[in-house]
């Protein structure tokens, strides 16, 4: 959906970046911290330290202290700062919910024999109403503007998660998909961690439209695989020119230039 050419490079030709992205590593480290945090209802100092240690140890497996300056602001120390700010600013709202699951994988059948797989960061239930929500934690370089916020209403991820949740808990009201955007700051900045929670609510009609679009997308992918089996590089170059053109005005992947 994001880019047919990127899909062709990645999944038909199997091309992968040579280096490890520190953005992905830092984001996974933060996910491990928050996953551990929401796995328990108590908030003692030992629990906080244990959650932080999980993320920081993962980060150090990939990047040493000598890499911190180059990786600013997504560093080892920023994990502690962001975790503290997240707890401080979201504690009151988060206390209104009971966590049902964290970092939970799922398979969603959208057509006969066609499956979507994914991993939800957190499923929670509001104590007062019984409504269900699903949360996704996203680390970013900047907070989204209004255009970015509006685009989440069209997010295939939101539709996928909400559909999966509705099927898993048909007896409950599934209210919304929540995106927690987390932006670390450089140590010399006077700004605190950038935090924004975006709520996405989709009707049953919108979810059905998403399912039909996803079915069509799967048929396009299947046709593409049949059309170009075992493709070699010279053939790939000619195929790319005619079938998978670039979109130069949109060759950005979460605010950074696409590696492909």
């Amino acid at each position: 959906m994001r880019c047919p050419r990127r899909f062709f490079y990645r999944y038909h030709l199997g091309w992968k970046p040579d280096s490890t992205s520190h953005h992905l590593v830092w984001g996974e480290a933060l996910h491990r911290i928050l996953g551990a945090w929401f796995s328990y209802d108590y908030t003692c100092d030992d629990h906080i330290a244990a959650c932080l240690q999980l993320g920081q140890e993962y980060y150090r497996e990939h990047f040493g202290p000598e890499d911190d300056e180059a990786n600013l602001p997504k560093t080892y120390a920023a994990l502690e700062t962001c975790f503290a700010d997240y707890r401080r600013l979201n504690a009151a709202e988060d206390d209104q919910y009971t966590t049902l699951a964290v970092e939970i994988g799922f398979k969603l059948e959208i057509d006969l024999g066609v499956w979507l797989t994914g991993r939800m960061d957190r499923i929670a239930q509001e104590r007062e109403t019984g409504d269900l929500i699903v949360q996704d934690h996203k680390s970013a370089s900047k907070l989204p503007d209004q255009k970015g916020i509006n685009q989440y209403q069209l997010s295939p991820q939101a539709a996928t998660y909400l559909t999966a949740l509705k099927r898993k808990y048909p007896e409950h009201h599934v209210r919304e998909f929540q995106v927690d955007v987390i932006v670390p700051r450089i140590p010399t900045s006077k700004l605190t961690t950038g935090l924004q929670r975006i709520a996405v609510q989709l009707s049953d009609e919108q979810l059905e439209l998403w399912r039909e679009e996803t079915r069509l997308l799967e048929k396009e992918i299947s046709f593409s695989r049949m059309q170009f089996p075992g493709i070699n590089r010279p053939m790939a170059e000619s195929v790319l020119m005619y079938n998978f053109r670039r979109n130069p005005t949109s060759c950005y992947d979460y605010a950074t230039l696409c590696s492909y």
Side-chain angles (χ1 to χ4, degrees), residues 26-125:
W26 195 88
E28 174 63 23
L30 187 64
H31 272 79
R32 294 189 179 202
I33 292 170
L34 294 177
W37 172 249
F38 284 118
S39 295
Y40 302 95
D41 289 332
Y42 55 86
T43 59
C44 63
D45 291 342
D46 287 346
H47 176 51
I48 292 172
C51 294
L52 183 62
Q53 184 178 2
L54 280 175
Q56 290 185 326
E57 285 182 349
Y58 175 81
Y59 185 82
R60 278 292 181 246
E61 290 173 9
H62 295 84
F63 297 102
E66 67 277 6
D67 299 312
D68 283 347
E69 185 175 356
N71 289 345
L72 284 171
K74 295 180 178 179
T75 62
Y76 179 90
L79 290 168
E80 181 174 7
T81 303
C82 288
F83 184 34
D85 288 340
Y86 185 93
R87 298 195 316 272
R88 177 174 55 84
L89 294 175
N90 290 327
E93 182 174 346
D94 287 339
D95 283 346
Q96 299 174 22
Y97 295 88
T98 299
T99 299
L100 302 182
V102 296
E103 299 295 334
I104 183 169
F106 67 88
K107 288 177 65 177
L108 176 66
E109 190 172 31
I110 59 167
D111 207 349
L112 187 61
V114 178
W115 299 82
L116 278 180
T117 62
R119 184 180 71 172
M120 297 183 186
D121 292 345
R122 182 189 181 211
I123 300 173
Q125 183 174 30

Side-chain angles (χ1 to χ4, degrees), residues 4 16 37 52 57 71 122 149 152 154 187 197 227 245:
K16 299 179 182 179
W37 172 249
L52 183 62
E57 285 182 349
N71 289 345
R122 182 189 181 211
I149 294 172
Y152 278 110
L154 303 176
R197 181 165 285 177
Q227 195 174 13
R245 64 178 179 82

Side-chain angles (χ1 to χ4, degrees), residues 142-155:
K142 62 180 181 179
L143 291 174
D145 56 15
Q146 190 59 48
K147 176 183 176 182
I149 294 172
N150 291 339
Q151 283 184 320
Y152 278 110
Q153 288 294 132
L154 303 176
S155 167

